[in-house]
Amino acid sequence: MGKNVVQKILDQHLVSGKAVPGEEVTIKMDQTLTQDATGTMAYLQLEVLNPDKLATEVSVSYVDHNTTQIGFENFDDHKYLQSIAKKYGIYFSRAGNGICHQVHLERFGVPGKTLIGSDSHTPTGGGIGMFAVGAGGLDVAMAMAKGTFTLKYPAVTNVILKGQLSSWVAAKDVILKLLSILSSKGNVGTVVEYSGEGIENLTVPQRATITNMGAELGVTTSVFPSDNQTKAFLKAQGNEDKWIELKADSDAVYEKTIEIDLAALEPMVAQPHNPDNVTLVKEVTDLAIDQVCIGSCTNSSYQDLMIAAEMLDNQQVNENVSFVIAPGSRQVLQMITENGALNKLIKAGGRLAESVCGFCIGNSQAPGTDSVSIRTSNRNFLGRSGTKSAMIYLTSVETAIASAIKGKLTDPRDLGLSWKDIPLPEKFLVDDSMIIAPAKENTSAKINRGPNIGQPPANTELPANIAGEVTIKVGDKITTDHIMPAGDKLKYRSNVPKYAEFVFNPVDETFSQRALANKEKNIHNIIIGGLSYGQGSSREHAALCPMYLGVKAVIAKSFERIHIANLINFGIVPLTFTNADDYEKIEQEDKVEMVGISDTLKGQGSLKLRNKTKNIEIPLSYQLSAQDVDYLLAGGKLNFYQ
Ligand code: MIC
Ligand code: SF4
């Protein structure tokens, strides 16, 4: 039987386990990436593991999230990261060099390699034919130390792209279409593999837009084959020698197949407050807008910025629109500066932001009260922009620019401009002077530790019984932005006790205090969640900070992949309702207990939650491997390996 691309890469990297969907396998990881917001904690954990030598071929530490630098914390973190990179032999991409996923694709992407990154949009690398997964920082630290990662062998969905995109319809519209088909929930454990003649005309940056936002489907990753487009991109980056051909066998088998006719696609928009709330742009009439932001790791490539500049040539953005541009990397910024495109954007009224995450993570350019913002990024969760009452719409660059000109959400086909194709450049401007290459061996470099940099907090072993209260009950699709908000709180990432004050802040500002008060009285905190609990980011702080507050278990209808792994990593037991309706039988403040939980997990026995307040018992389920149980019993992965 033939193999698909995913199977080809995974089977070459298989260390242990059976290559059967759903089975736990350990694979070799060739590369890692971290960014500063998750990286400081990942490297604090790496210091605990303290390997003599990294087990990966390439590890890169990026600074791209926390660059606002109001106060000393961000810069201290950057200094810490730079010194750690020097000590352990890690490439260090300095602040200003660009967003991790964009730079990694440009400078480190190699088809057929595996990559694990402490950021949920690491699958961007699938655009160049990598098997690239997002994970919590601890799993990335483990991959650096041991060279492996354990995951469920995925079921592969084949998305066949037919035909060719029409003018004004973009790669972003392809992934928005797929989100409208698959939605953001129910796809855990699968990988999307793209095929069909429609992919032949998609450049690597366009493919990367699609694989990047595959993260919003909740899949493990998304992958394109490596073909002539991949070769052209690598050649233009001066890396042609890294090219290999990678394609599915003609008799490859897939779990599921979806066909999308590119020629039939139209401009699409994800409406507030979820990336899968997708409709056609033309269906949303008379939506006046206040802000347009071009950038983020989804749409900030050279081609994206050039499209924006061409559309705005001799145009002016509407007087009611604040227009922000954040090129994805220094390479992109240098190229559009040299060819004059930047000038067109500035002339049209653009506000140039740093080549970092910025507006996307909500630590700058927060919209005004009740504002409408059109963004080319990938997430529009409530409050993520920094303004709770703002309405965020996600579109392609083409739609965003048309809207900026008109002052209302506009289908770019209605602008009356003539379409100009922007081809992949034959040569990108390659200047790696902002990437500090590592020394060959670990050095005794002094580690720079600012006063905001704490130690990873320790957990205790799992108690024999969990007994406490339901400290919070939340609904479906609770994202990590609800659990552990970023934005202006990002600067506390290296200081867990401080950051923990904001757990569940957007949902219930009293949670943190109530949880801490319980912890002091030895009352265990339990969280009740709905469907897709933990959607979104890879931030392990969404598990680490609740752990610090004394949360012992989360019981939900279903979990997202990265978040459930993070819960296990930090010793919080993830459980599901055996009957989803039982969710209704439990309320906030109910007193609950799970007697003998540690023995039950060890024996893989059946588990019941006793609701003492309502005097009922609720059957619970779990899917935990023997290894997961060992981590939970030890109070987390770091405890287990220490
Ligand atoms: C995000 O897009 O939500 C982030 C910020 O990049 C996160 C990582 C983080 O929380 O630091 C992610 O996607 O994993
Ligand atoms: Fe940065 Fe936004 Fe991409 Fe996350 S989604 S890595 S915050 S640009």
Side-chain angles (χ1 to χ4, degrees):
M1 197 169 61
K3 286 184 182 177
N4 55 46
V5 171
V6 173
Q7 288 165 333
K8 285 188 180 179
I9 305 179
L10 286 186
D11 293 1
Q12 264 192 7
H13 287 82
L14 198 65
V15 174
S16 64
K18 275 203 234 116
V20 173
E23 292 279 327
E24 199 163 86
V25 289
T26 296
I27 58 170
K28 180 181 173 301
M29 277 296 161
D30 302 320
Q31 299 191 352
T32 62
L33 74 77
T34 55
Q35 40 88 341
D36 52 309
T38 53
T40 44
M41 197 47 69
Y43 293 114
L44 284 166
Q45 293 165 149
L46 184 71
E47 282 191 90
V48 176
L49 299 168
N50 199 22
D52 292 334
K53 197 173 175 309
L54 289 196
T56 46
E57 293 168 11
V58 169
S59 287
V60 192
S61 170
Y62 293 90
V63 177
D64 57 359
H65 278 61
N66 269 324
T67 57
T68 317
Q69 295 175 221
I70 301 172
F72 62 90
E73 294 91 344
N74 300 162
F75 200 28
D76 279 2
D77 280 353
H78 306 169
K79 290 267 185 206
Y80 167 74
L81 292 170
Q82 184 167 349
S83 61
I84 283 284
K86 189 158 186 195
K87 176 165 159 69
Y88 286 102
I90 297 161
Y91 286 89
F92 184 69
S93 172
R94 302 180 62 191
N97 196 47
I99 305 174
C100 55
H101 308 304
Q102 176 67 26
V103 179
H104 207 85
L105 190 78
E106 290 168 357
R107 306 304 308 137
F108 295 99
V110 184
K113 295 281 180 188
T114 52
L115 163 69
I116 182 170
S118 61
D119 192 282
S120 64
H121 290 104
T122 305
T124 312
I128 200 167
M130 300 182 87
F131 186 88
V133 284
L138 179 51
D139 283 325
V140 178
M142 295 290 297
M144 281 187 265
K146 298 191 186 303
T148 56
F149 176 57
T150 301
L151 77 167
K152 294 237 165 71
Y153 197 88
V156 185
T157 297
N158 183 15
V159 174
I160 305 173
L161 302 182
K162 288 175 31 193
Q164 221 177 309
L165 290 172
S166 321
S167 308
W168 302 112
V169 183
K172 182 66 156 280
D173 299 310
V174 179
I175 186 62
L176 289 176
K177 175 73 185 173
L178 193 60
L179 272 154
S180 75
I181 298 171
L182 288 176
S183 92
S184 62
K185 57 182 195 312
N187 306 313
V188 174
T190 60
V191 169
V192 175
E193 180 174 318
Y194 290 89
S195 68
E197 94 270 359
I199 66 172
E200 284 165 24
N201 294 311
L202 295 176
T203 64
V204 166
Q206 287 175 308
R207 294 175 181 186
T209 293
I210 295 173
T211 53
N212 169 283
M213 212 174 163
E216 276 49 69
L217 296 166
V219 295
T220 306
T221 190
S222 308
V223 185
F224 274 84
S226 171
D227 55 9
N228 284 335
Q229 285 283 359
T230 326
K231 195 182 200 169
F233 180 80
L234 282 164
K235 187 169 175 219
Q237 291 284 358
N239 281 334
E240 198 180 356
D241 56 323
K242 298 200 175 135
W243 183 75
I244 54 156
E245 186 177 41
L246 195 57
K247 62 176 185 192
D249 294 330
S250 54
D251 55 346
V253 178
Y254 295 89
E255 199 81 3
K256 193 170 156 184
T257 299
I258 295 172
E259 254 189 35
I260 296 181
D261 180 4
L262 297 182
L265 287 185
E266 297 187 70
M268 315 211 66
V269 54
Q271 304 181 88
H273 294 289
N274 206 283
D276 68 359
N277 187 12
V278 173
T279 189
L280 293 175
V281 173
K282 69 178 187 201
E283 299 289 330
V284 187
T285 47
D286 288 331
L287 179 73
I289 61 170
D290 306 283
Q291 186 187 48
V292 168
C293 299
I294 306 288
S296 93
C297 56
T298 319
N299 276 121
S300 60
S301 68
Y302 170 78
Q303 282 176 298
D304 286 325
L305 274 288
M306 286 304 292
I307 288 166
E310 284 305 325
M311 287 178 75
L312 283 169
D313 197 11
N314 291 318
Q315 300 272 353
Q316 205 58 39
V317 299
N318 183 278
E319 64 182 19
N320 295 321
V321 175
S322 172
F323 174 52
V324 179
I325 333 142
S329 68
R330 181 166 166 265
Q331 178 179 82
V332 175
L333 180 55
Q334 278 180 291
M335 287 176 76
I336 63 169
T337 308
E338 288 197 357
N339 72 10
L342 180 61
N343 197 32
K344 293 182 185 171
L345 294 166
I346 303 293
K347 257 169 100 176
R351 299 173 59 185
L352 182 63
E354 250 195 300
S355 295
V356 293
C357 302
F359 70 82
C360 177
I361 183 64
N363 67 2
S364 59
Q365 304 294 347
T369 312
D370 300 332
S371 284
V372 174
S373 178
I374 310 276
R375 296 172 169 218
T376 62
S377 44
N378 47 39
R379 288 185 176 149
N380 57 349
F381 304 142
L382 180 75
R384 179 178 164 99
S385 65
T387 305
K388 210 169 168 183
S389 66
M391 304 290 276
I392 310 297
Y393 292 75
L394 308 174
T395 71
S396 66
V397 172
E398 289 82 342
T399 300
I401 297 292
S403 308
I405 295 170
K406 290 285 178 203
K408 59 179 191 159
L409 182 65
T410 301
D411 187 321
R413 297 170 300 183
D414 297 343
L415 260 192
L417 290 179
S418 50
W419 167 251
K420 190 167 166 201
D421 190 34
I422 309 283
L424 190 82
E426 275 186 23
K427 237 182 157 351
F428 285 98
L429 189 159
V430 175
D431 168 5
D432 288 334
S433 56
M434 291 282 274
I435 300 176
I436 303 175
K440 291 270 174 292
E441 298 294 328
N442 286 2
T443 65
S444 52
K446 178 179 161 288
I447 304 298
N448 278 311
R449 253 178 255 279
N452 189 46
I453 300 177
Q455 288 302 312
N459 197 7
T460 49
E461 287 180 5
L462 186 71
N465 310 312
I466 292 184
E469 76 165 23
V470 174
T471 322
I472 192 164
K473 180 179 175 182
V474 290
D476 290 347
K477 291 190 178 177
I478 284 293
T479 71
T480 49
D481 279 300
H482 292 108
I483 306 170
M484 205 56 266
D488 58 351
K489 320 286 180 316
L490 258 187
K491 64 179 184 183
Y492 300 125
R493 282 284 173 92
S494 314
N495 181 344
V496 170
K498 181 70 193 164
Y499 199 29
E501 289 174 18
F502 305 101
V503 175
F504 277 120
N505 212 248
V507 184
D508 176 352
E509 285 180 10
T510 67
F511 174 82
S512 173
Q513 271 175 335
R514 293 189 291 110
L516 211 53
N518 279 346
K519 183 183 174 189
E520 273 154 20
K521 287 184 254 160
N522 214 12
I523 297 170
H524 297 145
N525 293 301
I526 288 130
I527 296 170
I528 303 294
L531 286 169
S532 287
Y533 183 84
Q535 184 190 335
S537 150
S538 69
R539 64 189 70 146
E540 58 189 356
H541 293 78
L544 183 55
C545 293
M547 177 274 268
Y548 172 80
L549 295 176
V551 172
K552 292 291 173 202
V554 180
I555 307 171
K557 289 186 190 167
S558 67
F559 290 93
E560 285 305 307
R561 175 187 69 88
I562 305 181
H563 188 61
I564 201 170
N566 284 335
L567 289 173
I568 295 166
N569 283 355
F570 292 100
I572 297 179
V573 189
L575 301 162
T576 51
F577 291 102
T578 308
N579 314 308
D581 293 348
D582 285 344
Y583 170 86
E584 306 300 338
K585 297 188 185 157
I586 188 159
E587 273 158 72
Q588 193 159 312
E589 290 180 23
D590 281 357
K591 304 283 174 263
V592 293
E593 64 183 15
M594 288 172 270
V595 175
I597 183 160
S598 58
D599 282 345
T600 308
L601 295 183
K602 261 185 253 170
Q604 295 278 321
S606 62
L607 189 65
K608 285 200 171 64
L609 174 93
R610 208 178 126 60
N611 186 335
K612 294 195 329 195
T613 306
K614 304 226 164 25
N615 201 18
I616 50 170
E617 284 197 334
I618 296 173
L620 299 175
S621 305
Y622 51 89
Q623 272 200 317
L624 298 167
S625 67
Q627 180 77 88
D628 293 338
V629 172
D630 284 344
Y631 293 149
L632 286 170
L633 294 178
K637 211 179 225 178
L638 213 50
N639 283 7
F640 183 82
Y641 285 105
Q642 258 179 316

Coordinates of all heavy atoms in Angstrom, one line a residue, residues 65 99-101 119 121 296-297 357 360-361 378 384, ligand 2:
H65 N 7.4 38.3 20.3 CA 6.1 38.6 20.9 C 6.1 39.8 21.8 O 5.3 40.7 21.7 CB 5.6 37.4 21.7 CG 5.0 36.3 20.9 ND1 5.6 35.6 19.9 CD2 3.7 35.7 21.0 CE1 4.8 34.7 19.4 NE2 3.7 34.8 20.0
I99 N 8.8 37.7 12.8 CA 8.0 36.7 13.5 C 8.5 35.3 13.3 O 8.9 35.0 12.2 CB 6.5 36.9 13.0 CG1 6.0 38.3 13.1 CG2 5.6 35.9 13.7 CD1 4.7 38.5 12.5
C100 N 8.6 34.6 14.4 CA 9.2 33.2 14.3 C 8.8 32.4 13.1 O 9.7 31.9 12.4 CB 9.0 32.5 15.6 SG 7.3 32.2 16.1
H101 N 7.5 32.3 12.8 CA 7.1 31.4 11.8 C 7.5 31.9 10.4 O 7.9 31.1 9.5 CB 5.6 31.2 11.8 CG 5.1 30.8 13.2 ND1 5.7 29.7 13.9 CD2 4.3 31.4 14.1 CE1 5.1 29.6 15.1 NE2 4.3 30.6 15.2
D119 N 4.8 27.2 20.0 CA 3.8 28.2 19.5 C 2.9 27.4 18.6 O 3.3 26.6 17.8 CB 4.5 29.3 18.7 CG 3.5 30.4 18.5 OD1 2.7 30.3 17.6 OD2 3.5 31.4 19.2
H121 N 1.2 28.1 16.0 CA 1.3 28.3 14.6 C 2.6 27.7 14.0 O 2.8 28.0 12.8 CB 1.0 29.7 14.2 CG -0.4 30.1 14.5 ND1 -0.8 30.9 15.6 CD2 -1.5 29.8 13.8 CE1 -2.1 31.0 15.6 NE2 -2.6 30.3 14.5
S296 N 1.0 39.8 11.0 CA 0.9 38.5 11.7 C 1.5 37.4 10.9 O 1.8 37.5 9.7 CB -0.6 38.1 12.1 OG -1.1 37.3 11.1
C297 N 1.7 36.2 11.6 CA 2.4 35.1 10.9 C 1.6 34.5 9.8 O 2.0 33.7 9.0 CB 2.8 34.1 11.9 SG 1.5 33.4 12.9
C357 N 4.8 40.3 16.4 CA 3.3 39.9 16.5 C 2.5 41.1 16.8 O 1.4 41.2 16.3 CB 3.2 38.9 17.7 SG 4.2 37.4 17.5
C360 N -1.5 41.4 16.8 CA -2.1 40.1 16.8 C -2.3 39.5 18.2 O -3.2 38.8 18.5 CB -1.3 39.2 15.9 SG -1.9 37.5 15.8
I361 N -1.3 39.8 19.0 CA -1.4 39.3 20.4 C -2.0 40.3 21.4 O -2.1 40.1 22.6 CB 0.0 38.8 20.8 CG1 0.1 38.1 22.2 CG2 1.1 39.9 20.8 CD1 -0.7 36.9 22.3
N378 N -4.9 35.5 12.4 CA -5.6 34.2 12.4 C -6.6 34.0 13.5 O -7.3 33.0 13.6 CB -4.6 33.0 12.4 CG -3.5 33.3 13.4 OD1 -3.8 33.8 14.5 ND2 -2.3 33.0 13.1
R384 N -9.1 39.4 22.6 CA -7.7 39.2 22.3 C -7.0 40.4 21.8 O -5.8 40.6 21.9 CB -7.6 38.0 21.3 CG -6.2 37.7 20.8 CD -6.2 36.5 19.8 NE -5.0 36.4 19.1 CZ -4.0 35.6 19.3 NH1 -4.1 34.8 20.4 NH2 -2.9 35.5 18.6
Ligands
SF4_2 FE1 2.5 36.0 16.8 FE2 0.0 36.2 16.2 FE3 1.4 34.5 15.0 FE4 0.8 34.1 17.5 S1 -0.6 34.1 15.8 S2 2.8 33.8 16.6 S3 0.8 36.2 18.3 S4 1.7 36.7 14.9

